[in-house]
Amino acid sequence: MHSDTPTPPRPLILGSTSPYRRELLQRLRLPFTCVAPQVDETPRTGEAPVALAQRLARAKAQDVARHHPDAIVIGSDQVAELDGQPLGKPGTHERAVAQLRAMSGRTVVFHTALAVVCHATGYAADDLASVEVRFRPLTDAEIERYLRAEAPYDCAGSAKSEGLGIALLDAIVSDDPTALVGLPLIRTARLLRAAGVTLP
């Protein structure tokens, strides 16, 4: 029997517990849920920062998609790179001071990798947005004042460009403005459309 009932859209899942990514995805005005991926984020020996970001984004999307095969799942990961080495989330004040001292007057590249997966349809695609961030020369007093004000210890590179951290910078070079915060929305929208999601 022929039915005119439209097929309901597939559930959309953000495979992340990041409040930054959740906030960004909300801008697309799509209903979604967040599910924490179970992925070991330890870098492999000699793994380049860009390869690490891409591997983890895919692993996060695949892990959540395995448990929710009918859903369209977004995975993302960001790795900051200085002199070819990954900069992780500092976690402590002391490590954040060390990171900002190392980045003072330097260019850091933030690689934000993205993967979109749906097991039911066999769709799997990924993309990468790399953002060049030029830090101005910073004094120890400026570093200390900034960290006390914003406490960005859960951010790779120890600075929040969407907040006060913008005052530490000389320039941001990017073709996807939200990539630095954690989810490149231009690329996310592109992959979601390719996965069959209706966007404005």
Side-chain angles (χ1 to χ4, degrees), residues 4 9 36 58 64 71 73 86 102 106 108 116 120 123 125 155 157 176 179:
D4 290 328
R58 289 183 197 120
V64 174
V73 180
R106 308 283 305 283
V108 181
V116 175
Y123 181 81
C155 296
D176 204 334

Side-chain angles (χ1 to χ4, degrees), residues 93-138:
H93 183 81
E94 294 67 33
R95 282 207 287 266
V97 168
Q99 278 194 356
L100 288 173
R101 277 181 180 156
M103 297 184 300
S104 173
R106 308 283 305 283
T107 295
V108 181
V109 182
F110 288 77
H111 302 290
T112 305
L114 169 73
V116 175
V117 171
C118 178
H119 280 190
T121 63
Y123 181 81
D126 50 76
D127 208 338
L128 177 78
S130 293
V131 181
E132 277 186 22
V133 178
R134 293 203 289 274
F135 282 79
R136 61 182 184 79
L138 304 171

Side-chain angles (χ1 to χ4, degrees), residues 23 60 108:
E23 212 169 273
K60 289 174 179 180
V108 181

Side-chain angles (χ1 to χ4, degrees), residues 60-85:
K60 289 174 179 180
Q62 291 288 0
D63 178 71
V64 174
R66 262 195 301 278
H67 299 96
H68 303 270
D70 288 329
I72 294 169
V73 180
I74 300 167
S76 185
D77 192 78
Q78 184 181 75
V79 179
E81 175 180 1
L82 180 65
D83 296 331
Q85 296 302 310

Side-chain angles (χ1 to χ4, degrees), residues 45-65:
T45 310
E47 189 171 30
V50 67
L52 172 62
Q54 289 174 310
R55 176 173 65 81
L56 292 180
R58 289 183 197 120
K60 289 174 179 180
Q62 291 288 0
D63 178 71
V64 174

